[in-house]
Amino acid sequence: MSWKDDKKRIRKNRQKLIKYKKTLCCKVCGVSDYRVLEFHHLCDKEECISRMVGVGYGWKTIMKEIDKCVALCSNCHRIEHWQEAVSYTHLTLPTKA
């Protein structure tokens, strides 16, 4: 397959992704602006969705990966990963003596 075909598939996939994201909302706060929605993997992450779209994966493969995710707005996504990091590292703040 030529690079020209890849570029066409990438462009189509970007359009499909935008159309799909317009049907979603953040599972935490309910924001529905597709421009700030991201996919948070719940398990078995193989690849980032945006990277899959950007390098030309097939749409069926992209949707299989999306099925492992929930939609979160960018703020809720950052908070979720911060909370995961804190619980993973058992972060404790130093106390004043």
Side-chain angles (χ1 to χ4, degrees):
M1 204 176 287
S2 72
W3 174 239
K4 190 174 183 177
D5 291 335
D6 287 344
K7 284 174 40 176
K8 285 180 186 177
R9 184 174 55 254
I10 291 166
R11 191 176 309 115
K12 276 186 173 182
N13 284 346
R14 284 187 178 139
Q15 292 168 350
K16 287 179 184 180
L17 185 64
I18 289 170
K19 184 176 179 180
Y20 180 71
K21 285 173 71 173
K22 287 181 178 182
T23 69
L24 304 174
C25 66
C26 177
K27 296 298 181 198
V28 175
C29 71
V31 165
S32 60
D33 185 341
Y34 74 95
R35 297 170 299 176
V36 299
L37 292 177
E38 301 175 349
F39 295 101
H40 175 67
H41 281 82
L42 298 174
C43 62
D44 302 328
K45 179 178 179 178
E46 291 183 32
E47 190 66 72
C48 293
I49 304 301
S50 58
R51 184 177 185 290
M52 293 177 80
V53 171
V55 298
Y57 279 66
W59 185 248
K60 287 181 184 180
T61 304
I62 293 168
M63 285 304 296
K64 282 182 186 178
E65 196 68 18
I66 288 174
D67 287 342
K68 302 175 189 177
C69 303
V70 294
L72 297 178
C73 73
S74 54
N75 285 339
C76 291
H77 198 192
R78 296 306 171 278
I79 292 167
E80 175 65 26
H81 280 284
W82 184 86
Q83 289 172 335
E84 288 173 0
V86 168
S87 65
Y88 177 75
T89 59
H90 307 289
L91 178 68
T92 55
L93 299 175
T95 56
K96 289 186 175 184

